[in-house]
Amino acid sequence: MSAVLLLSSCSIPFSFNSGETIETRDHNTNSSNSIKIDKTVRADSIKLSPYYEKREMTYWYDRLGQNEERNLYNAIVKGCDEITDERATDDGYASYIIEPIKLSDVHLERRQILNVISSVFEDNPDIFWLDSRYTYVLDSERNLTVTLRSYFDKKTQKKCKKQLNAVVNSVLKGLKPDMNEFDRELYIHDYIIKNCKYKKSKNSNNHYNAYGCLVEQKAVCEGYNEAFALLLSYAGVNSTSVSGSDKTDGNTNHVWSVVELDGDWYHTDVTWDDSKEYSMYDYLNLTTKQIQKTHAIAPDYPDIPTEKLLDKDGNSINYNCETPKCTKTKYNYYKYTGSILNDISDNTLAEDLAKAAENRDPYFNIYVNPKTMNYRTTYDQLFSDELYTFQHYIKKANEILGSDVLRPYSVVCKKNFLNTINVELYYN
């Protein structure tokens, strides 16, 4: 049994010779962890933060069902540095062959082999040099050979690893000892948005990986996601990727993150927070229900029958390992950092406005508690009703401050699906 496979999340544009079996990358199974993975060989030039311990990314690995699957995973991780001088070309696109990984007496089905290789890609954003295509052969005697490819030759790969590690070290220096998990996530989220542009590289595929995002500072959604996951892991925060599609753009392929904060999971899309259509924090820590307003989540691997894993062209469909259920709102950006409104006559809003004015904050975020208030009614009462208007709270805030610091008008942006109202503040 042999196959040539293509791994993709954001529609990597490769073509293949007819007659070959081609499959796109994606996702896995479940179960407990029993074999430890030593990734220190690739991390020895990273200076860890003195405040936070690195979290190894093993979300996909932990859900592999058999030790034999994990043995294959470990062999691939160990062998991915062995880049040879041999070049492979497919339809004019060149890459370098990595020394084939060979295992004997392998009793895995095709489905499992694909899962293992996908797991390596998903758990290891630091292995940024891997080409999206690979081959595997499982012969009649159950000998398995997996051949990966590298975008770079060995010399260039070493240089690029040093460059990426230098950026990671620089980012880690910005961590503070009193940061909780949310603070660290926010710091990394903001770093990526401020230092990367959504753009494809003209002469490489680095826009799909962490190197493109952090070093070349150009990336698409997969590159944003890989960089976010890599930096979070060194900051001691657990995360994994979610594959799916963009409902607002014809269900085109898309990838984003789920982040674990204090034991609960949240959806975060750094790519969409770095867009003109949305403000910088609209997609920071959403529930599953919220993200599904604009994103379609691909099915989980265990829920897909084997015969439906491949499409009519022989490519693997888009799917996830095991998407965490995200139901908590504690660390939603607007709820966690904004003013929570539980009642329209709650003077806490005025007090929070006064604090924002003291800091000369340009924006003020109101989170309308959906458990106690109707969003539309609250919005009308704040900005349309004669009795309760936002100007009333501005007046109360100025009384707290002892002078007319805030002007009596503001520009409002409302987001019903987030339960938030964003107000641009003006000062005298």
Side-chain angles (χ1 to χ4, degrees), residues 239-252:
S239 73
T240 192
S241 63
V242 179
S243 287
S245 59
D246 175 0
K247 288 183 177 180
T248 69
D249 187 26
N251 287 316
T252 55

Side-chain angles (χ1 to χ4, degrees), residues 28-61:
N28 282 66
T29 62
N30 49 5
S31 199
S32 58
N33 188 5
S34 64
I35 300 176
K36 293 296 182 182
I37 308 163
D38 183 8
K39 297 183 182 180
T40 57
V41 65
R42 297 199 313 279
D44 55 4
S45 59
I46 298 288
K47 297 177 183 177
L48 295 177
S49 165
Y51 312 118
Y52 307 105
E53 183 178 352
K54 184 180 186 297
R55 290 283 297 272
E56 294 293 353
M57 294 187 64
T58 60
Y59 189 86
W60 288 63
Y61 173 88

Side-chain angles (χ1 to χ4, degrees), residues 150-166:
S150 169
Y151 287 133
F152 312 118
D153 60 44
K154 186 63 177 178
K155 182 178 179 180
T156 304
Q157 179 238 22
K158 286 184 176 180
K159 180 188 73 173
C160 291
K161 282 206 299 186
K162 289 181 180 179
Q163 291 173 326
L164 179 61
N165 291 344

Side-chain angles (χ1 to χ4, degrees), residues 198-356:
Y198 187 90
K199 187 177 182 181
K200 290 187 176 182
S201 302
K202 292 183 179 180
N203 301 316
S204 75
N205 286 297
N206 289 333
H207 47 264
Y208 292 107
N209 59 41
Y211 179 86
C213 180
L214 296 176
V215 179
E216 297 180 343
Q217 299 185 328
K218 291 179 289 187
V220 294
C221 61
E222 190 169 6
Y224 276 76
N225 183 67
E226 298 276 297
F228 190 50
L230 180 65
L231 292 174
L232 284 175
S233 70
Y234 278 106
V237 179
N238 194 26
S239 73
T240 192
S241 63
V242 179
S243 287
S245 59
D246 175 0
K247 288 183 177 180
T248 69
D249 187 26
N251 287 316
T252 55
N253 286 345
H254 188 48
V255 62
W256 62 97
S257 307
V258 281
V259 181
E260 187 179 26
L261 303 174
D262 288 347
D264 295 315
W265 290 92
Y266 300 83
H267 287 272
T268 291
D269 191 337
V270 183
T271 309
W272 279 35
D273 276 348
D274 191 19
S275 69
K276 295 179 180 179
E277 290 79 11
Y278 302 95
S279 67
M280 191 168 166
Y281 303 106
D282 282 0
Y283 284 84
L284 181 56
N285 298 339
L286 303 188
T287 65
T288 299
K289 184 177 180 180
Q290 288 174 324
I291 199 77
Q292 286 178 325
K293 298 288 186 181
T294 51
H295 295 49
I297 301 172
D300 287 347
Y301 173 83
D303 300 330
I304 306 171
T306 298
E307 65 273 13
K308 293 187 178 181
L309 276 174
L310 305 181
D311 63 20
K312 59 182 178 63
D313 297 318
N315 296 327
S316 172
I317 66 169
N318 221 14
Y319 64 92
N320 290 296
C321 165
E322 183 182 303
T323 310
K325 303 301 180 185
C326 305
T327 60
K328 304 297 183 180
T329 60
K330 177 180 178 181
Y331 289 112
N332 172 271
Y333 175 80
Y334 292 119
K335 182 176 181 181
Y336 190 70
T337 64
S339 180
I340 300 176
L341 189 62
N342 297 301
D343 183 271
I344 197 66
S345 60
D346 188 353
N347 283 327
T348 302
L349 190 65
E351 295 169 2
D352 291 340
L353 260 174
K355 292 177 183 177

